[in-house]
Amino acid sequence: MGAEAISDRIKAMAESATIAMAQAARELASQGVNVINLSVGEPDFTTPEYIKEAAKKACDDGYTFYTPVPGYVELKEAIAKKLKKENGIECGPNNIVVSTGAKQSIANVVLSLINPGDEVIILAPYWVSYEDIVKFAEGKPVIVSGSIENDFKPSAADIAAAITPKTKAIMFSSPSNPAGAMFSKEELEEIAAVVSQHKGVYILSDEIYEYINYVGGHESIGAIESVKDQVVTINGFSKGFAMTGWRVGYICAPEWLAKATQKIQGQTTSGTCSIAQRACIEALENESELKKATAEMGEAFLRRRDLIIGLLNEIPGVKTNVPQGAFYIFPDVSAYFGKTAPDGSTIANASDLSLYLLNSAHVSTVTGDAFGAPQNIRISFAASDENIKEAVARIAEWLGKLS
Ligand code: PMP
Ligand code: GLU
C-alpha cells in the first residue's frame, strides 16, 4: 500500500531539477521571503499582444473542439514554411508533428526510436530532461562533455569517439540550455561529416532557443544535405515567442518517424490545445509583428547578459564564459567547494552551493549536476536589470561568507 506501489519506471525517474528548484523558490516566497528566482527557464516577458489577440479571436470563432493529433494543417504548413525559409530545411506538413510543448516532442521522438539498451549520445552540459527521457525509454545515455574553455561544445572528434554499433541517436540543444553554447555552421558540418557515416544514427537537434542568440543568426543541422534524412529538428513557441504556458512545441522529422510519434500522441494526449495552436499560426504568419517582438526581447536579453557577466566577473573564484544564445549563464563555482558556511555546514558540491544560495542569499539557481556539469551552477538572466543586480550582490555577499 502507498508509495511502494509506484512502478519501478517512475521510481527510477529523477524529479526535474529545474522545476524542483523553481518550486522551492516559490514556496520560500509564499512564506514572505524576498526570493529572486533565477532558476526558472522562461522569458519574463508576457506573450506579445498580437498573439494574445489571435487566441481571443480563436475562442470567439469556435476553435474549442478536439484538434487533429499532429496539429492543425494550417499550423503545420506555417511551420514547414518557416523551417524552409529561415532554417533551410526541406520539409512539408507531413514532416511536422505539433505537441504539448517541445518536452513532449522530445519524449515522443525518443520513445519512438529507442529500444532497451540503445545508446544515446547526449552532449553535455545538457538540458535536464534529456537524460531521464532516454532512461524512461530504457536507452543508455552516453555523455560527451564540453568544457568552459571550449564554450561547452564537444567537438566532432569527441562525438566520433563515442559512437558504437549500439548508438541510435545524438541529442543536443543549440543555443544550449544551460550554457548558451551555439554550434556554428562549420562545427555542424563537422558533426554531420561524422554522423553521415553512420546511417542508423539519428540527430535530435533541439533549437528551441533559436531566436534568442547574440551572434546574429542561428544554423540548423537539418539543412545539411549529407544528414538531412537523419535529423529531427525540435522547436517550439515557449522561449522565442514568450509562450511557455501555452504548451506548443513541434518536430520536423522523416515521415515514418513523424507517423510513429503521432501514434504515441494519439494514445496519450491527442492534439494540443486548439486555441494555442490558432494563436501560433498568427504568431508565425504575422512576420512584421514577430520581428518587432523578437527584436525587443533580444535587445533586453543581450543587455542583461552583458550586465550579469560583468557583475559575476567581479566575484573572486567565479569563472564565466560568454553565452552566445539562450538566457542562462553557467559559471564554474568549484573554487567554493570544500568551504564552510556560517552555520558550520560544508559546501561539498554545486548542489550544496545552490541550496546555500537559496536559503541564505534567497537567490534561486540550479545545480550543474542536473545538467551533467558538477562544477557549475545555472543562473537565468531572464529577469529585470534590478533583480539581476540585487541577486548578484547577494550571491557575492554570501559567497564571501564562506571560509
Ligand atoms: N528544450 C530545452 C533545451 C528547454 O530548455 C526546454 C524548456 N524547458 C524545452 C526543450 C521544453 O520546452 P517546452 O516544453 O516548454 O516547449
Ligand atoms: N526549460 C526550462 C528550464 O530549463 C523550464 C523548466 C523545464 O521544463 O525544465 O528551466
Side-chain angles (χ1 to χ4, degrees):
M1 293 292 277
E4 67 272 23
I6 289 171
S7 68
D8 296 341
R9 186 183 307 114
I10 297 302
K11 275 188 198 147
M13 185 179 254
E15 194 182 348
S16 160
T18 46
I19 288 180
M21 209 54 187
Q23 181 58 21
R26 271 187 220 115
E27 273 164 25
L28 209 56
S30 74
Q31 294 160 24
V33 177
N34 172 10
V35 179
I36 302 178
N37 187 352
L38 302 185
S39 56
V40 70
E42 66 179 338
D44 57 326
F45 299 99
T46 56
T47 304
E49 274 316 305
Y50 81 101
I51 302 175
K52 289 198 266 188
E53 286 308 318
K56 290 178 204 164
K57 181 164 183 310
C59 222
D60 291 340
D61 289 350
Y63 286 101
T64 57
F65 297 94
Y66 282 134
T67 61
V69 168
Y72 284 125
V73 73
E74 297 94 318
L75 179 55
K76 295 195 299 168
E77 277 166 355
I79 291 168
K81 191 170 139 204
K82 173 244 178 293
L83 290 172
K84 277 191 276 188
K85 187 173 160 193
E86 294 181 1
N87 306 80
I89 297 173
E90 272 175 42
C91 62
N94 291 343
N95 301 109
I96 310 298
V97 178
V98 179
S99 298
T100 305
K103 197 179 271 189
Q104 187 190 18
S105 303
I106 296 165
N108 281 348
V109 173
V110 170
L111 287 166
S112 298
L113 277 179
I114 301 305
N115 278 317
D118 284 349
E119 293 177 5
V120 179
I121 296 175
I122 302 179
L123 304 194
Y126 49 79
W127 178 46
V128 269
S129 295
Y130 292 168
E131 196 178 0
D132 272 278
I133 290 173
V134 168
K135 287 183 184 161
F136 190 61
E138 297 179 62
K140 183 176 166 224
V142 174
I143 309 300
V144 174
S145 297
S147 68
I148 198 163
E149 285 73 28
N150 57 16
D151 282 325
F152 298 103
K153 287 188 281 192
S155 67
D158 297 334
I159 295 171
I163 294 178
T164 75
K166 288 194 159 173
T167 306
K168 189 74 181 279
I170 298 172
M171 291 173 85
F172 60 86
S173 55
S174 175
S176 89
N177 179 359
M182 281 186 81
F183 286 115
S184 65
K185 190 165 185 209
E186 293 66 39
E187 287 162 339
L188 291 174
E189 273 165 357
E190 284 164 20
I191 295 173
V194 169
V195 181
S196 61
Q197 305 301 310
H198 302 273
K199 284 299 176 199
V201 174
Y202 294 88
I203 300 173
L204 277 51
S205 175
D206 181 347
E207 305 181 15
I208 196 154
Y209 293 96
E210 124 177 77
Y211 287 157
I212 306 168
N213 75 75
Y214 315 108
V215 291
H218 160 88
E219 297 292 336
S220 292
I221 195 162
I224 300 176
E225 186 65 27
S226 62
V227 283
K228 68 179 198 312
D229 297 332
Q230 291 167 266
V231 176
V232 182
T233 304
I234 296 148
N235 208 328
F237 292 81
S238 286
K239 315 290 175 174
F241 298 79
M243 295 178 73
T244 49
W246 299 64
R247 311 308 302 131
V248 188
Y250 59 84
I251 56 166
C252 173
E255 260 185 70
W256 55 268
L257 182 51
K259 275 203 187 116
T261 71
Q262 285 177 51
K263 201 154 79 171
I264 304 181
Q265 199 155 293
Q267 292 285 27
T268 54
T269 57
S270 292
T272 194
C273 170
S274 54
I275 296 158
Q277 285 194 59
R278 298 312 303 183
C280 287
I281 297 172
E282 178 66 10
L284 286 175
E285 285 189 340
N286 194 336
E287 289 182 23
S288 61
E289 285 295 331
L290 172 59
K291 273 211 183 85
K292 236 177 18 199
T294 50
E296 272 167 33
M297 292 191 271
E299 221 171 86
F301 285 134
L302 175 60
R303 188 184 65 248
R304 294 156 174 189
R305 179 197 71 163
D306 292 342
L307 173 67
I308 199 162
I309 294 174
L311 294 170
L312 287 171
N313 283 346
E314 287 171 20
I315 308 177
V318 172
K319 194 162 136 196
T320 61
N321 75 320
V322 179
Q324 297 179 305
F327 39 65
Y328 310 103
I329 185 148
F330 199 55
D332 183 323
V333 288
S334 58
Y336 290 92
F337 297 172
K339 295 205 174 205
T340 306
D343 69 358
S345 61
T346 303
I347 304 296
N349 50 40
S351 298
D352 288 351
L353 192 75
S354 179
L355 282 175
Y356 168 71
L357 292 176
L358 176 65
N359 293 320
S360 306
H362 301 147
V363 176
S364 73
T365 59
V366 186
T367 174
D369 292 291
F371 307 99
Q375 311 281 90
N376 303 64
I377 58 170
R378 189 189 78 175
I379 307 175
S380 162
F381 53 83
S384 67
D385 295 26
E386 293 68 39
N387 274 352
I388 289 171
K389 285 183 203 156
E390 171 66 18
V392 181
R394 290 190 201 174
I395 291 174
E397 180 191 343
W398 286 90
L399 287 181
K401 293 184 193 206
L402 297 174
S403 55

